[in-house]
Amino acid sequence: MTLENFIKSRVSQKTYTEQSVDHALIKELLDISVFAPNHKMREPWRFIMIEGEQKELLKNRYLEQLPKDLADEIGKKLDKIMKAPMIIAFVMPLTLDYDDEIEDLQANAMMMQNFMLLANENGLSTHVKTPPFIKTDLFKSVIKLQPQEIVSALVMVGYADKQNVAKRRTPAQDLITYYK
Ligand SMILES: Cc1cc2nc3c(=O)[nH]c(=O)nc-3n(C[C@H](O)[C@H](O)[C@H](O)COP(=O)(O)O)c2cc1C
């Protein structure tokens, strides 16, 4: 397949087979993904892998500290996310400079897209999510972030149980203005 095909056939995958994901492969793909542009070579990322029994452990540790009604609501969201055999939390350090932080988020997004395309090339499917709870102090402590870190996104990874069709995009023709 060409790069064009990989870009156009990547779709968010919500359901997966039970086949587990090989650690060595994911490490290899992350080692390639980080060749994304990043300002001043800050390399503003690290990765937390959650899979197998650790998914349930994280869920329980989080939900047991929430009030019942919120635990029910977040529990349902976590159950959807945890359908994937592996969840990768892409972690970004916070800086004291707002502009640097925007650049670091952009770098994270580029690196994540690299990862998702490479995953597709290797027969895997993915879904990136930024549910609001990832920003809460409680979730950050349960997932063991350092004080000056955020989860830039959760990326679910696994083998698709069905083929999804890519959604239509607006053609560039409708988006381009020629500066005069
Ligand atoms: C930064 C970011 C955050 C996202 N957060 C969510 C999310 O919280 N929940 C969700 O279902 N999808 C989320 N998505 C996935 C988008 O909904 C999805 O990419 C979009 O609908 C296009 O579909 P496709 O990925 O199949 O092309 C997110 C995507 C991005 C880039």
Side-chain angles (χ1 to χ4, degrees):
M1 267 222 278
T2 61
L3 181 57
E4 174 182 350
N5 292 139
F6 282 118
I7 292 172
K8 287 187 174 170
S9 62
R10 183 217 51 80
V11 288
S12 293
Q13 184 66 35
K14 294 187 175 145
T15 52
Y16 301 86
T17 68
E18 285 181 6
Q19 187 179 345
S20 61
V21 177
D22 182 48
H23 288 186
L25 173 61
I26 296 300
K27 252 195 269 175
E28 214 176 286
L29 302 187
L30 289 171
D31 268 333
I32 305 169
S33 306
V34 293
F35 279 80
N38 64 100
H39 199 187
K40 298 191 178 154
M41 284 303 289
R42 282 197 289 271
E43 300 188 83
W45 41 61
R46 71 180 184 93
F47 315 99
I48 300 174
M49 307 262 207
I50 310 135
E51 60 175 346
E53 290 172 3
Q54 309 309 314
K55 290 190 291 183
E56 209 53 31
L57 183 68
L58 176 115
K59 180 179 153 187
N60 293 338
R61 280 181 179 158
Y62 183 33
L63 297 187
E64 72 190 11
Q65 299 187 66
L66 289 175
K68 169 99 180 66
D69 52 340
L70 200 52
D72 289 346
E73 186 193 321
I74 304 263
K76 282 186 197 137
K77 289 187 180 152
L78 281 173
D79 286 341
K80 280 192 194 163
I81 287 171
M82 289 178 175
K83 281 186 186 158
M86 181 184 280
I87 301 158
I88 307 176
F90 283 72
V91 176
M92 191 190 110
L94 290 177
T95 68
L96 293 175
D97 185 305
Y98 178 70
D99 292 330
D100 283 358
E101 247 165 54
I102 291 178
E103 287 172 351
D104 287 352
L105 270 175
Q106 290 169 329
N108 262 256
M110 292 178 204
M111 182 266 297
M112 257 182 261
Q113 172 77 342
N114 283 349
F115 175 77
M116 292 191 287
L117 294 177
L118 287 163
N120 280 182
E121 189 184 27
N122 284 272
L124 289 158
S125 292
T126 59
H127 189 175
V128 54
K129 280 196 181 197
T130 52
F133 64 77
I134 62 174
K135 301 190 187 95
T136 62
D137 288 341
L138 180 55
F139 183 77
K140 288 200 237 175
S141 78
V142 168
I143 202 168
K144 299 179 190 275
L145 292 197
Q146 300 296 319
Q148 290 305 313
E149 288 183 321
I150 57 165
V151 173
S152 66
L154 299 175
V155 176
M156 279 51 79
V157 189
Y159 293 90
D161 64 351
K162 59 173 184 288
Q163 284 305 111
N164 288 332
V165 177
K167 294 170 198 145
R168 181 188 173 276
R169 269 27 180 203
T170 307
Q173 178 60 36
D174 298 348
L175 304 169
I176 295 172
T177 307
Y178 291 95
Y179 180 70
K180 290 180 197 145

